[in-house]
Amino acid sequence: DAGVTQSPTHLIKTRGQQVTLRCSPKSGHDTVSWYQQALGQGPQFIFQYYEEEERQRGNFPDRFSGHQFPNYSSELNVNALLLGDSALYLCASSLTSDYGYTFGSGTRLTVV
Amino acid sequence: QKEVEQDPGPLSVPEGAIVSLNCTYSNSAFQYFMWYRQYSRKGPELLMYTYSSGNKEDGRFTAQVDKSSKYISLFIRDSQPSDSATYLCAMSPYGGSQGNLIFGKGTKLSVKP
């Protein structure tokens, strides 16, 4: 079982650019959540996708958007990057009828 | 006041020690409580999941929830160097995958051989 797969593992972008991060959920999981983890902080919820719809959203600006595909994989898009967007972006998958999330190893985004 | 408070440490203990990790919270709606372990350069891994108040034991790990005090704990018995990691508490008003998790900052634990 490959678990949750995220790509790329590391990324360096310039302020103002746009970035797309990708996530393949654990086999059998239908729900994907995205979290942002700044250095020395706990993960913060960005949004959750289920049945290709955004089901819940955290306190993040509209610059953060996402998508879920029919195969349950997901993308996180961030526009107009700011230095403060530098963080580890974690994807977590789950089965909506069950508890517990499986996290990927994350994408380390650095904005310069 | 943050919804979830967790002492970031770092906490250093000798091998074999009993480790106590704690979180306090302010939102009385929280019903589901979790502990995650995060190794360096990895994503969080679920260790323990409890509902409402009470204790839950799994091997060397024991999770306690005291909703009256809004206080949760994780105890690690016979700690090993492989337990060295950051421990994150997380909680939610909702069970299953219906809601987002609110995390503490994490406590960095180092177990010395």
Side-chain angles (χ1 to χ4, degrees):
Chain A
D1 187 352
V4 178
T5 305
Q6 291 188 244
S7 64
T9 53
H10 296 87
L11 203 52
I12 299 175
K13 288 286 190 178
T14 303
R15 266 184 307 174
Q17 285 189 316
Q18 178 264 344
V19 69
T20 298
L21 311 182
R22 294 177 176 83
C23 172
S24 292
K26 183 177 178 178
S27 178
H29 284 182
D30 58 8
T31 302
V32 173
S33 303
W34 287 91
Y35 286 80
Q36 180 195 65
Q37 187 175 24
L39 199 62
Q41 303 293 319
Q44 277 199 296
F45 175 73
I46 302 174
F47 42 54
Q48 184 181 81
Y49 277 84
Y50 172 66
E51 292 189 338
E52 301 178 53
E53 296 286 332
E54 184 182 289
R55 179 158 68 179
Q56 193 170 356
R57 188 179 183 92
N59 190 24
F60 277 79
D62 291 344
R63 298 187 296 110
F64 290 77
S65 63
H67 191 79
Q68 185 180 35
F69 299 94
N71 66 353
Y72 307 117
S73 67
S74 178
E75 288 181 350
L76 164 65
N77 300 293
V78 187
N79 293 324
L81 285 166
L82 303 173
L83 295 179
D85 295 332
S86 296
L88 180 67
Y89 287 85
L90 295 162
C91 172
S93 73
S94 53
L95 189 59
T96 199
S97 58
D98 200 359
Y99 64 79
Y101 295 81
T102 301
F103 281 85
S105 291
T107 294
R108 173 74 60 188
L109 172 65
T110 302
V111 182
V112 298
Chain B
Q1 183 189 9
K2 294 197 96 175
E3 275 194 293
V4 179
E5 301 275 4
Q6 184 176 10
D7 186 339
L11 181 62
S12 183
V13 301
E15 184 175 354
I18 296 175
V19 176
S20 173
L21 303 167
N22 311 293
C23 288
T24 59
Y25 62 94
S26 57
N27 189 344
S28 57
F30 289 146
Q31 298 271 15
Y32 298 86
F33 304 91
M34 286 138 275
W35 285 95
Y36 283 83
R37 177 174 63 195
Q38 186 173 24
Y39 291 114
S40 181
R41 302 184 186 282
K42 296 290 186 183
E45 170 195 12
L46 181 64
L47 278 178
M48 301 288 283
Y49 179 99
T50 53
Y51 168 69
S52 195
S53 285
N55 293 357
K56 185 173 183 179
E57 189 172 321
D58 184 1
R60 297 186 295 113
F61 298 91
T62 299
Q64 287 186 351
V65 175
D66 181 349
K67 288 189 68 182
S68 62
S69 302
K70 296 190 177 70
Y71 187 88
I72 70 171
S73 301
L74 177 71
F75 297 95
I76 306 174
R77 290 182 298 280
D78 187 25
S79 57
Q80 303 296 310
S82 58
D83 294 328
S84 298
T86 296
Y87 289 79
L88 297 153
C89 64
M91 43 199 84
S92 173
Y94 312 107
S97 301
Q98 303 300 318
N100 58 298
L101 300 179
I102 309 299
F103 282 86
K105 275 188 173 184
T107 299
K108 188 169 185 178
L109 171 67
S110 178
V111 181
K112 304 293 187 185

